[in-house]
Amino acid sequence: MKTILAVAVTAWLALGGLRPAGAVPVPGRPPALIDMQHTAWTARDGAPPNIQDIEQTDDGWLWLGTGDGLYRFDGAQFELYQPRSGSLFSSGILAMGRLADGRLWMSFTGGGLALLQGDVSTTYDKADGLPRAAVYKVVQEANGRLWVATSSGIAQLQPGARRWTDANAALGLPAKFLALDLMQDRRGTFWLLSPAGLFSRPPGAPVFAKVAEQHVAGRLAETPDGRVWASQPGGHGMQLVYAPPDVKAAVPDMSMADTIKFMFDHAGNLWSAAHEGVRQVTFEGGKPVVREFTAQQGLTGTSVSALHQDHEGNIWIATPEGLDQFRSRRVQELQLAPMLTFGAPLLAGSHGDVWIDQYYYSALGAAPLHYGPGAGDATLVMTLYRDPRGQVWSGARDGLWQVNGKQRVHIPPPADLGKRRFIAILDMVMDADGGLWVSFAGSGVFRLKDGAWAALGGLSELDKAVVVSMAADTAGRLWFATVDNVVFKLEGSKVTKLGAKEGLKLGEIDAIMPYRNGVLVGGLPGLMWFDGKVFRSLKGANEARFSGVKGVLVAPDGRVWINSSQGLQAIDAKEMDQAMQQPDYAVRVVQFNFNDGVRGISANESSTPRLTRLSTGELLFATSSGVYRLDPQRYPTNPSPPPVHITGIWSDKAAQPLRPAQPQVHLPPSPESVRIDYTALSLTLPQRVQFRYLLEGVDTQWQEAGNRRSAYYTTLAPGSYRFRVLAANEDGVWNTEGASVLLVVPPTLVQTAWFKLLCVAVVALLAWGVHRLRLRQALRRMQRSFDVRAAERERIARTLHDTYLQGVQSLILRFNSIKAALPQNDAVRQHIDAALDAADAVVEEGRDQLLELRVHAVCQGELAPALEAACGAACQQQGVAFALDEQGPRRALKAEVKDELFAIAREAVANAVRHSGSDQVRVQLVHDSAGVMLQVRDQGKGFDDHVLPVAQRARHWGLTGMRERATRIGATLTIDSKPGAGTVVEVALRARVAYR
């Protein structure tokens, strides 16, 4: 029942109580139209129906409370909103507003209240003590306490509390009553409106006091000057209930505002629902001036359900069918006498006056003076020109005229034109000598001087040229533009023809204007600049185009203005400087078009000029629909940088958009495509908002996105990427802080670090296995080589034993026989004994060499005992002390390793004994897991400095042999010796090569 009552009361309030709003201010005379630019959104544009209330929060979002729920709008897209945390009630929204701390409140047709802050919703219903009634208003005191006005009275919520309390009795109000509206003014006074009356509660007062009777539904509002108003529909209009003592302005008549749907804008103007539309009441000289805008003029509906003014000053109107915006116009259409020429020619005077078509205006807004002969095709004015002396010339279909005030003086045309019914003058210009150049369609260019016409001005180069636009520069040069992509430059008597060879590519040139040392030329394809040598095209940034150019003007501040099919365009002088220095530079363009109140486009007719600058600094330009004025110094601009938000992040592998509620967002692994949605909340002209973005780690520079509100990326590798986006409003005011979010792309299984380490380990293991296999194969080859060499050595040893040693032994036996035959004291016998001793030595040396060849016979048993026996014996024979130090547990050595180590040690000991002069030799043998190490050390005289580098003495091969033996088994041999400091011979061998 309560819900039904709430809905019924809401319907009653929406209808305005007793009667529809909209009394006509002046009977029989409809109000003027609201003089603001209008934009509408309907269901075709995505606007939700049945908008009940409008509010804007500090973050820039425009919120729409509808019968279908809560929507938010950024000027480009409507979004049905759901909070990130918490929820909203499922019924439609009844009322909505903003609290002092910035939170958005909304009440629902089915009961309940929600507070929204930072994507977090907090809801209250009867379980929290909120009355089971319709909530019409929520107010927050300075101390944070909340008040609600409901269909059953007032309830309050203390700061930090969760439960609401009934405050009717405490405030001196009835136990149950209908509280239609509640407001706290800037002084802190509470105002309460109900059918029972109007109540107030000043600061510090404990209870409300009735100050006036109120018998019908109404609403409260405060104007910027502090006056408080209450509406009282039913023929009473708006009633002033409080005025600050310091406000002395007269109280305007507000009886026409007979509705509960109203508001005061920042300037104090009244906006309200009207009959079949919306009404604006401005107060000029204390008197109300009423303007309206209805469905017939383009309002989305015939009844107004909500009004709101945003931070930028735009007015928003909601109807059951859509949403409307009213904003200040930058360009004003002139209210002129009926135009006779399609795309009227414009000519500025020197005192703020202007000639437009066949009329002269002493000032904009002044009454027109008709200087032409009247309407009709025969007298249409096509060209207006004011020469350097101030004389005005008119080129009409009935000829060339001098214009003096309201009088025209006819100038006879050239005789070459013959008798024509109509004459078409395309353009005029005066040279430095006072000669007037006139281009006649179909006849060419003529020069008028001292009343005489000269065809082509005496210049044969202009023969057959169809000149459509002419200009004179400050250097005295004349410029002629033609329909066939040619520009002629006349300097003195010299004519220079410029065309495609110099880069000109416009076709018909409809506008020409001297600029710096050259000219600007425009036509259907665009705008070009001649720098004295070549023509260069001007390009616009952010997809701005120059097309259908009909007029070009250079202002005193250097700004270039263009009248084109895109509307009125402006290029700042600094942008032009940049374009002159960098031919590929895209200039930033300020646009004035249909979004600013301009209707139509630059007409295709040949009237000229289409663009002029008044002496007051204002610009006038003509389109196919009228003449418009713009004050470049005073048109309304938007100084507010737009708040920037990242609204969603989509991934090809995410089923739903990922909303960046946190500054860090985790994407699925290995996303093939990522779309990042963003927006900027500049509501005045959202279609002109410009964006630039950067993904750190991918982009090397800012990406200019124009008005596009999405960024796309593909195949992002694992890692962290910060996405940043900046935006500028329609006037180029940038929010340089913008918005950012950190994107984290986790690796897939094959992209993880441990997987890569595992792959590295597997590869290393495979490499190690291949290495072991190759090493084993190499060792086998080495072993086979050792076996072959050992067999060969055995064969050589056997051969030497069977031949050389046996032969020497036979000779010894024969010599012994000869010796035995000689007398004992024979001198020859002594010589034979000496020879036999020498032969025995040779045999002994031969046996030693045979032992060297028979390597497997060198070391018998373990290496250490063999070294101790052989080396110890050799030292003992020479009277040298010998010591062997074995460290580490013995391990089985490969046979060839053991034999070569034995041979190296024996050679080293033999060298020490024979050559070092040392009285002691020490041998150290170390076995460990790393390998085996053999060291022979003496304390003798050492090697000379010249011996070690070549590793041998003359006719001695011991050191070389030791190195060769070490190399054969893969060992490292080092010899450390200095004269007088002894010698250390060390052999080291790795375990896998040394041990079995």
Side-chain angles (χ1 to χ4, degrees), residues 862-929:
E862 296 291 339
L863 178 60
L867 288 175
E868 189 168 12
C871 296
C875 290
Q876 185 177 5
Q877 291 177 2
Q878 300 296 328
V880 176
F882 175 78
L884 175 67
D885 179 19
E886 184 178 14
Q887 298 179 10
R890 290 180 182 176
R891 301 177 65 175
L893 296 172
K894 294 178 181 179
E896 63 273 15
V897 172
K898 180 176 63 174
D899 289 342
E900 296 292 358
L901 290 178
F902 178 80
I904 292 171
R906 192 179 64 176
E907 178 67 25
V909 171
N911 285 336
V913 170
R914 296 172 189 163
H915 308 295
S916 70
S918 174
D919 59 357
Q920 183 181 17
V921 176
R922 295 181 59 84
V923 175
Q924 184 180 23
L925 181 63
V926 179
H927 303 271
D928 57 26
S929 60

Side-chain angles (χ1 to χ4, degrees), residues 540-709:
N542 301 319
E543 302 180 355
R545 296 184 297 117
F546 306 107
S547 60
V549 176
K550 295 294 183 180
V552 179
L553 183 149
V554 180
D557 61 1
R559 186 181 296 185
V560 175
W561 294 88
I562 305 132
N563 185 5
S564 72
S565 61
Q566 307 299 311
L568 182 65
Q569 300 171 298
I571 307 173
D572 190 77
K574 293 182 179 179
E575 291 293 303
M576 291 296 295
D577 291 340
Q578 193 77 5
M580 302 303 101
Q581 298 172 8
Q582 301 178 19
D584 294 332
Y585 180 75
V587 296
R588 301 183 187 276
V589 182
V590 180
Q591 295 272 165
F592 301 90
N593 52 25
F594 62 91
N595 290 312
D596 305 281
V598 179
R599 295 183 298 112
I601 61 173
S602 184
N604 290 326
E605 299 296 322
S606 58
S607 58
T608 187
R610 305 287 184 83
L611 174 63
T612 190
R613 180 179 181 273
L614 303 183
S615 60
T616 60
E618 291 184 277
L619 298 177
L620 298 185
F621 62 100
T623 74
S624 58
S625 299
V627 177
Y628 296 85
R629 66 188 292 183
L630 171 72
D631 189 337
Q633 305 301 324
R634 296 181 179 86
Y635 69 82
T637 58
N638 186 356
S640 303
V644 184
H645 299 276
I646 297 173
T647 57
I649 302 175
W650 294 74
S651 170
D652 56 343
K653 296 185 179 180
Q656 298 295 329
L658 304 173
R659 298 181 62 183
Q662 302 296 332
Q664 179 172 307
V665 174
H666 289 265
L667 297 177
S670 187
E672 294 182 2
S673 64
V674 175
R675 189 187 83 201
I676 307 171
D677 296 333
Y678 49 82
T679 191
L681 300 176
S682 181
L683 302 178
T684 302
L685 280 171
Q687 56 270 47
R688 289 187 183 163
V689 172
Q690 299 296 312
F691 296 93
R692 60 173 61 132
Y693 61 80
L694 173 75
L695 185 62
E696 296 176 358
V698 175
D699 297 324
T700 58
Q701 61 184 4
W702 287 95
Q703 306 297 309
E704 299 293 341
N707 191 246
R708 178 165 49 86
R709 298 176 184 241

Side-chain angles (χ1 to χ4, degrees), residues 21-35:
V24 179
V26 180
R29 183 179 177 183
L33 291 180
I34 295 175
D35 188 24

Side-chain angles (χ1 to χ4, degrees), residues 336-357:
L336 302 172
M339 303 293 291
L340 302 177
T341 306
F342 185 72
L346 312 170
L347 182 63
S350 58
H351 303 289
D353 52 341
V354 62
W355 286 264
I356 302 176
D357 194 32

Side-chain angles (χ1 to χ4, degrees), residues 28 45 65 70 96 235 360 415 423 432 466 508 528 578 669 786 793-794 798 860 900 925 935 938 954 969:
D45 308 300
L70 180 65
M96 189 168 63
Y360 171 74
I423 293 177
V466 182
E508 180 176 345
M528 302 189 76
Q578 193 77 5
F786 282 154
R793 291 162 68 105
E794 292 286 348
R798 286 193 301 272
Q860 299 294 330
E900 296 292 358
L925 181 63
Q935 186 183 89
D938 66 54
I969 59 175

Side-chain angles (χ1 to χ4, degrees), residues 293-447:
F293 198 89
T294 68
Q296 293 181 347
Q297 284 84 46
L299 200 69
T300 55
T302 57
S303 61
V304 173
S305 56
L307 305 96
H308 182 75
Q309 185 174 25
D310 65 26
H311 303 332
E312 300 168 53
N314 305 301
I315 304 298
W316 297 87
I317 309 296
T319 73
E321 289 79 20
L323 182 66
D324 298 81
Q325 181 204 59
F326 291 90
R327 63 180 181 274
S328 298
R329 282 200 179 108
R330 302 186 174 202
V331 176
Q332 303 296 322
E333 184 175 4
L334 294 182
Q335 301 303 313
L336 302 172
M339 303 293 291
L340 302 177
T341 306
F342 185 72
L346 312 170
L347 182 63
S350 58
H351 303 289
D353 52 341
V354 62
W355 286 264
I356 302 176
D357 194 32
Q358 295 193 20
Y359 297 92
Y360 171 74
Y361 298 84
S362 60
L364 293 180
L369 296 177
H370 190 207
Y371 71 88
D377 288 342
T379 59
L380 290 181
V381 176
M382 304 299 294
T383 304
L384 289 171
Y385 174 67
R386 185 168 177 263
D387 66 29
R389 300 171 299 185
Q391 177 64 56
V392 175
W393 300 82
S394 171
R397 286 192 174 186
D398 58 351
L400 177 64
W401 303 82
Q402 283 185 338
V403 179
N404 301 300
K406 296 194 298 181
Q407 302 297 321
R408 296 197 308 167
V409 178
H410 186 258
I411 305 298
D416 297 8
L417 269 62
K419 294 182 179 181
R420 297 184 181 181
R421 181 181 177 186
F422 297 131
I423 293 177
I425 296 178
L426 302 178
D427 205 358
M428 293 178 275
V429 70
M430 183 170 283
D431 58 30
D433 294 332
L436 182 69
W437 295 73
V438 183
S439 177
F440 294 93
S443 299
V445 176
F446 290 79
R447 181 175 185 263

